[in-house]
Amino acid sequence: MKTEKYLLYLKSSEEIVTADAKYQFDEDNDLIKVKLVVEENIIEVDGDCAENVFRKLSSKLSNKYKIHSCYTCRYGNFCPYGDQDNQIFCINDFEPKCKEDVLFIFQDEEEMKKRSRTLFDVCSGFKPCSDDYWTYK
């Protein structure tokens, strides 16, 4: 069983709240488990892929919080050729006009390594998606 620990940032009104997140992948049962501790509340979800687990986790948080991570960032994008579980790529240094504009990333192994993130990673360049602005996902 592989375990990783993350620190998530949750947006609450104008305040940023940190939360501990524990991500486990149980290879024997092909199951992902996430445990989130936020303001003394424990939220646990599981599922067959990180994306589904992330959606479940988001729905279990009250409307009071929004998760700030690479998965919810306007610059976090999946590979158009088919993505690996819990893998997303950062394109915070350019603005694609169409999905073909991101293809160069996936044709160069070094470029992929440089941009590869997990859905739970977060950086100081986080910008939320909105109806007015989002990048190719």
Side-chain angles (χ1 to χ4, degrees):
M1 184 172 306
K2 181 180 175 187
T3 302
E4 295 181 37
K5 190 167 169 135
Y6 298 93
L7 185 64
L8 289 182
Y9 296 95
L10 304 177
K11 179 86 166 146
S12 167
S13 303
E14 294 303 314
E15 177 186 3
I16 298 289
V17 177
T18 58
D20 276 332
K22 189 175 178 184
Y23 174 94
Q24 292 182 320
F25 179 61
D26 182 345
E27 294 165 3
D28 295 335
N29 297 313
D30 211 20
L31 188 67
I32 296 165
K33 297 177 183 181
V34 173
K35 179 179 178 181
L36 181 69
V37 180
V38 59
E39 296 181 342
E40 299 179 16
N41 295 312
I42 297 172
I43 301 165
E44 295 181 277
V45 295
D46 61 32
D48 60 349
C49 74
E51 199 170 344
N52 288 341
V53 166
F54 205 98
R55 284 187 192 121
K56 284 181 184 179
L57 184 61
S58 294
S59 71
K60 282 198 167 197
L61 290 169
S62 67
N63 288 335
K64 181 178 174 184
Y65 298 109
K66 298 234 183 273
I67 297 175
H68 283 207
S69 74
C70 288
Y71 182 66
T72 62
C73 180
R74 70 175 64 168
Y75 304 122
N77 296 277
F78 295 110
C79 177
Y81 298 118
D83 56 288
Q84 300 288 318
D85 192 42
N86 200 27
Q87 184 180 49
I88 201 161
F89 296 90
C90 184
I91 60 165
N92 66 353
D93 58 343
F94 73 99
E95 187 175 329
K97 302 294 183 218
C98 63
K99 68 180 175 182
E100 286 79 17
D101 289 350
V102 301
L103 297 182
F104 78 94
I105 295 169
F106 308 101
Q107 296 166 349
D108 181 328
E109 213 170 303
E110 286 303 311
E111 197 67 36
M112 283 181 66
K113 273 190 210 176
K114 178 175 88 172
R115 297 173 181 278
S116 183
R117 310 285 189 275
T118 72
L119 276 64
F120 287 92
D121 286 336
V122 68
C123 75
S124 61
F126 173 86
K127 298 277 189 233
C129 293
S130 70
D131 290 338
D132 297 330
Y133 191 96
W134 56 279
T135 56
Y136 165 77
K137 286 229 188 262

